Amino acid sequence: MTILSGLTFGGTGSPPSRRRRLAGISIGLVYLCFPVLEIVTGEVSGTRALWGGAGLAVFVACYVATVLSPADFGEPTRLTYWLLGVTTLLGVGLAAAFGGGWTTLPIYMTVVYSMALSPRLSVAGVTAMAVAVLLIGLLKEHDLGTTLVLVFQVVTLGVLFMGMRNTRMLVMRLRRAQEEVARLAASEERLRIARDLHDLLGHSLSLIVLKSELAGRLAEDGSERAVAEIRDIESVARQALVEVRDAVTGYRQRGLAGELDGARAALEGAGTKVTIRLAGTPLPGALEELLGWAVREGVTNVIRHARATRCEIEVTLDDRAATLEIVDDGRGADPYGPGNGLTGLTERVRAAGGTVSAAPRPPGFALRVVVPRG
């Protein structure tokens, strides 16, 4: 039941989807076999069996509806509270009315309280279910040892799933914080580029404007200096164009070292542990640029698709070739679909006489780029 309920409310890495919740429920409801067996075997018979079966069906429907009810960033809505109330009444009421295997129903409520409510409300709900199970066991004169085991299970499952919920919520908040950090970093980078372009073009464009006005007045007066001013304008404009191109080229081509630094920052920001190894002599300029691009493409796909906890990047250079390997421990499915940059990377590597291989490698996925040194 422990694993089951964890599936019911999703993992800790992301907000739980309804499909994952439903998958967990479909397996977890197997534990309802205890009250069902009491009806099937005749231990609960006649009118009591009809009422018990109907009540159990309504309980299951309310339980499923509660688990699948919408939530705002992990917090229950008003609908969830109403469903929790109805499901609690059904679970405790059926357990009190029939006893025996029906006493497992409050345990389901313990899991729901622990995963859906705030810590304070969860503690109150788990305590109430533990007291309810104890009182029902005493009133129905159940075996004291069995009753205490059920109470212990209520308490331990409540503590376990409250911890799971808190962990999931912390991870969700951390991911949102990482997204905000990435957004702020991108905004800061845009501001830096804007400042650089302003510094590069501000003086040149101002000078072009002044010289254009001067050339216009000189041309109106018929002065020969107008031609010289126009040539100065052309010279300043050409120089500004060169500076802008150099700046843009610097933004696009950071080299292998810059790409590795960026890869480390991006992966660590996504919660992935990174190991980078370099071996060999410094790379030639063209080869360094090509491998830098490969690092950027590989790391981008790891972040977007792999959901990895570890990633290893290794660059080696020997007398014959340079080799880049990016290995992660993620899902292992092929993340390289059309339009993700691998096609362009493969074309560039093949144009340099190299090879690219990308395939699952348990556990995870591996990208390998080999380019001849020549």
Side-chain angles (χ1 to χ4, degrees):
M1 185 169 182
T2 299
I3 298 175
L4 249 287
S5 305
L7 286 172
T8 300
F9 288 89
T12 60
S14 61
S17 66
R18 291 191 174 186
R19 180 177 299 179
R20 289 167 60 187
R21 297 177 190 176
L22 192 58
I25 293 172
S26 63
I27 305 172
L29 294 180
V30 171
Y31 289 88
L32 295 175
C33 65
F34 298 110
V36 172
L37 282 175
E38 291 187 6
I39 297 176
V40 173
T41 59
E43 186 175 345
V44 176
S45 58
T47 304
R48 295 183 75 244
L50 292 177
W51 281 106
L56 189 61
V58 175
F59 171 80
V60 171
C62 291
Y63 178 75
V64 172
T66 303
V67 174
L68 298 183
S69 62
D72 182 14
F73 189 38
E75 296 298 332
T77 61
R78 180 177 298 180
L79 173 62
T80 304
Y81 283 115
W82 278 103
L83 290 171
L84 274 174
V86 174
T87 310
T88 301
L89 291 176
L90 286 170
V92 175
L94 290 171
F98 295 94
W102 300 75
T103 317
T104 57
L105 299 184
I107 297 178
Y108 280 87
M109 299 312 305
T110 297
V111 176
V112 176
Y113 292 150
S114 302
M115 294 297 291
L117 300 179
S118 63
R120 181 176 300 178
L121 293 177
S122 297
V123 171
V126 170
T127 303
M129 289 301 101
V131 172
V133 170
L134 180 60
L135 292 178
I136 291 171
L138 295 176
L139 292 174
K140 293 292 183 179
E141 297 182 352
H142 292 164
D143 178 69
L144 182 59
T146 302
T147 300
L148 292 178
V149 168
L150 289 175
V151 172
F152 179 75
Q153 188 174 11
V154 167
V155 175
T156 54
L157 285 177
V159 173
L160 173 64
F161 285 104
M162 279 189 280
M164 288 179 57
R165 179 185 186 274
N166 290 337
T167 301
R168 177 167 60 83
M169 296 299 296
L170 288 174
V171 172
M172 290 171 61
R173 291 190 176 96
L174 176 60
R175 293 204 170 192
R176 289 199 171 188
Q178 291 171 345
E179 292 174 358
E180 181 65 15
V181 169
R183 186 188 67 81
L184 293 175
S187 177
E188 182 64 26
E189 182 68 9
R190 285 194 294 269
L191 290 175
R192 185 181 70 84
I193 293 173
R195 287 194 298 267
D196 291 348
L197 291 178
H198 178 269
D199 293 340
L200 287 172
L201 296 178
H203 174 74
S204 299
L205 292 179
S206 298
L207 185 58
I208 288 173
V209 170
L210 292 175
K211 284 185 170 291
S212 297
E213 293 176 351
L214 177 58
R217 290 196 299 268
L218 292 175
E220 290 176 357
D221 296 338
S223 173
E224 295 181 356
R225 285 184 55 196
V227 177
E229 294 296 335
I230 293 174
R231 289 176 179 173
D232 286 344
I233 294 172
E234 180 184 2
S235 176
V236 172
R238 289 183 182 275
Q239 182 61 31
L241 181 60
V242 170
E243 292 176 351
V244 170
R245 285 175 175 172
D246 290 342
V248 173
T249 300
Y251 296 142
R252 291 179 177 175
Q253 300 176 358
R254 294 191 294 177
L256 181 60
E259 293 297 343
L260 289 175
D261 290 340
R264 183 188 297 276
L267 288 168
E268 290 179 348
T272 304
K273 295 182 179 179
V274 190
T275 302
I276 298 177
R277 291 187 291 269
L278 297 173
T281 58
L283 299 174
L287 193 55
E288 182 180 4
E289 177 186 345
L290 180 57
L291 292 185
W293 190 18
V295 168
R296 182 166 65 252
E297 293 294 339
V299 169
T300 298
N301 282 285
V302 171
I303 295 174
R304 289 181 178 176
H305 306 287
R307 298 181 183 175
T309 59
R310 295 189 62 85
C311 180
E312 296 184 1
I313 304 174
E314 184 173 1
V315 181
T316 58
L317 177 66
D318 54 30
D319 295 336
R320 294 180 299 176
T323 304
L324 166 68
E325 284 189 303
I326 301 178
V327 181
D328 64 71
D329 64 348
R331 296 184 301 176
D334 188 350
Y336 297 100
N340 60 19
L342 182 64
T343 301
L345 174 62
T346 302
E347 292 174 353
R348 292 189 64 176
V349 171
R350 288 177 179 174
T355 58
V356 176
S357 61
R361 190 176 77 174
F365 199 87
L367 171 67
R368 180 181 174 88
V369 177
V370 181
V371 184
R373 182 165 182 168

